[in-house]
Amino acid sequence: MTDSVKNDERTEANEAQIAVHWKEEKYIEPPKSFVEQAILNDPGVRKRFDEKHFPDCFREYADMLTWFKPYTKVLDTSHPPFWKWFTGGKLNACYNCVDRHLDKYRNKAALIFVSEPEDDVPYAMTYQELYVRVNEMAALLKDYCGLKAGDRVTLHLPMTLDLPITMLACARLGVIHSQVFAGFSGQSCGQRIQDSGSHYLITIDAYWRSGKLLDHKANADIAVKTAEAAGQHVDKVLIWQRYPGKYSAKTPLVKGRDVFVNDVLKDYKGKRVEPAHMDAEAPLFLMYSSGTTGKPKGCQHRTGGYLAYVAGTSKWIQDIHPEDTYWCMADIGWITGHSYIVYGPLALAATSVIYEGTPTYPDVGRPWRIAERLGVNIFHTSPTAVRALRRLGENVPKMGPQKFKHMTTVGEPIEPKAWHWYFDQIGKGKAVIVDTWWQTENGGFLCSTIPALDKMKPGSAGPALPGIYPVILDDNGKELPKGSGIAGNMCIRNPWPGIIQTIWGDDQRFIDTYYRRFCKYPKSKDWRDWPYMSGDGAVDAPDGYYRILGRIDDVINVSGHRLGTKELENACLTVPEVSEAAVVPVVDEIRGKVPEVYVSVPASVTDRAAVAKKVIKACEDIIGKIARPSKVHVVPDMPKTRSGKIMRRVLASISNKRDIGDVTTLANPEVVEKIRVQVQGK
Ligand code: WT7
């Protein structure tokens, strides 16, 4: 990593090293009670999925699905790096998640909705009822909106049942859904409407969050305005109602544009829509994710490969049996929710829990009360949530005798202290833990222990999943020896079914972002010449367990969610007084990393507090509350190289109270001490 550490523009390599400062921990055996009931308990699986059996090994995942027409080829590599999976095959994702379970599980709960107000009784929606609702919604999308396979629709929905119903209705028609996390601002949503070319926005009037019924329809107005300003016309805004039959927002409807889904649905009562026979390679959905430039990337996931990969990994790594009650506390607005709340679990006929609100509302005991009430036995959350619940609720044992057999963490490295608390207090030593490493682009898990077969090692994501062959490359693309313990670029040597097809509308960016740097022979049609670059740093221990160090590009991982530094900086620069902006990641006890902002203003600007306020508001309005900077430092000037580049590394060192290093070669070394005193005090 030497180059990236030296490179002025990169800050994350050394951040990562700091974030993961713990030493190798001892192994912990998976609890016997778990192993005895585990789905995947055949140690032969690694052999079946070794390189000799690639890519045919992935038939095992594809065979977990129901195909209308069998595929003829497992992997087509004729146009690298645009891999094609299960070509010739036809299937429907909605059919696989709903229809095919009816014979056996018609009146078993598919989804259980828990609303934030605790007095509301949880509502269990059976597979039959889900089938009815999805069909009616699909009929509406088809006949009322005129949507057809390949069209895109933007969803800006919170965690209510309307979201999976809408997603599955789209999938039934082959319409590509693009769900935007409800916590993102109207402007963010509008930008994604424009990029995806959606003519419809599907939203909700209101939802509960931390005790407040938020007016969400207000965001739709901003979203449409933003999209239209960027040249994308929105025909209609379809509004679900949090309380059907009642409008719970204050923002008035726009005549001719806004309609209530529940009103229109009346015309589609009892309607059924045949699931479209989609090509395995037809796009299923877009999921926007932050990258190193200002513009979010529309990660385009395919139908067959994606669904096969999430079904396979939900079964083997999450160990989901149809009898289990599974709760993933993520939001469906992120990839974790798409893969491991909706598509993976439902493909397996699981019962998947959807909780509307904040985990710590009204108090930290809420998740455990929900788990207890519903009999959740598989629990999936992020290290940030574990840390927050731990800090606020050391006394968990008193909070409920919930019995988990399996617990997952995802999104960031989990430090051993938090891991042990999760294992001892929440799992009561009886639940196996998997620390799953992957990304929006990957569709599903890439590294994790296989819960019944591998020992756990706190603080380490574990070995690669079956059929995934990682390699750690140094900055010159040279392979680091296996088990070297040296940090480098985490890459995957081979294609796998869950990888995105491309970035929506931008094939070149897809190549440039993930493949260009380490592809030695761009003309090669051999997948071995096309390692996938994850953008994460990692070390590989002698036992083959990977420890993920974090991003080595200009992306900050906050509470397990990606924020592009450029996106944030662009938001800061919309404040008229701001001449320059730099965003740096700062280590935070609970959230992993948080963004701190430095902005420089001309000497004539004297009210710095006012500027700081405007900067915070700009980040919230343009990106969303999740992007709220933890601090804004208004400084007279930025430390710069002689060529004029802002030295983010220096600012990051100041914010993280680390050694600043040699700054004598800067164009303006004297400003560094001024900023240090301003931030840290004398
Ligand atoms: C980034 C991807 C898809 C998961 C949700 C976040 C970090 C993810 C782990 C883990 C250490 C992790 C990486 C990755 N990350 N899982 N188990 N241990 N780091 O998806 O928003 O696409 O972010 O999250 O840095 O690149 P995402």
Side-chain angles (χ1 to χ4, degrees), residues 289-290 334-336 383 409-414 435-442 444-445 447 460-461 534-537 547-552 555 557 560-563:
S289 179
S290 293
W334 307 103
I335 190 71
T336 303
T409 83
V410 63
E412 323 146 64
I414 181 163
D435 176 350
T436 57
W437 171 74
W438 60 298
Q439 313 172 292
T440 304
E441 295 86 341
N442 306 156
F445 308 143
C447 282
S460 170
S534 69
D536 276 333
R547 189 195 292 191
I548 307 299
L549 304 176
R551 306 292 311 189
I552 43 182
V555 172
N557 188 328
H561 300 307
R562 259 195 261 177
L563 284 179

Side-chain angles (χ1 to χ4, degrees), residues 76 161 437:
D76 174 347
L161 294 174
W437 171 74

Side-chain angles (χ1 to χ4, degrees), residues 46-179:
R46 287 239 154 70
K47 187 121 190 283
R48 296 204 308 275
F49 277 74
D50 68 10
E51 224 173 305
K52 272 201 297 265
H53 300 97
F54 179 84
D56 275 354
C57 50
F58 282 114
R59 284 177 192 276
E60 285 198 44
Y61 286 179
D63 287 349
M64 293 178 192
L65 305 180
T66 305
W67 295 78
F68 294 136
K69 183 168 167 254
Y71 53 91
T72 45
K73 198 166 183 185
V74 175
L75 172 64
D76 174 347
T77 62
S78 57
H79 189 31
F82 301 92
W83 322 112
K84 295 196 173 109
W85 283 93
F86 310 120
T87 52
K90 288 198 189 283
L91 78 167
N92 184 283
C94 175
Y95 179 89
N96 271 280
C97 290
V98 184
D99 304 43
R100 68 165 175 157
H101 304 316
L102 294 179
D103 277 352
K104 217 166 155 189
Y105 299 112
R106 190 176 302 275
N107 280 308
K108 188 187 96 93
L111 299 165
I112 303 180
F113 173 65
V114 180
S115 72
E116 194 188 73
E118 205 165 356
D119 289 341
D120 291 357
V121 178
Y123 169 67
M125 179 174 276
T126 63
Y127 273 95
Q128 171 70 14
E129 183 63 16
L130 181 61
Y131 171 78
V132 169
R133 303 271 187 112
V134 165
N135 270 282
E136 290 174 353
M137 185 60 181
L140 181 154
L141 294 176
K142 178 163 99 34
D143 295 337
Y144 179 78
C145 302
L147 288 163
K148 51 183 194 319
D151 292 343
R152 283 81 53 209
V153 171
T154 298
L155 284 47
H156 196 200
L157 291 169
M159 289 288 283
T160 65
L161 294 174
D162 310 313
L163 174 49
I165 289 171
T166 309
M167 286 163 66
L168 291 163
C170 289
R172 196 165 188 86
L173 302 170
V175 169
I176 304 168
H177 58 75
S178 171
Q179 151 70 7

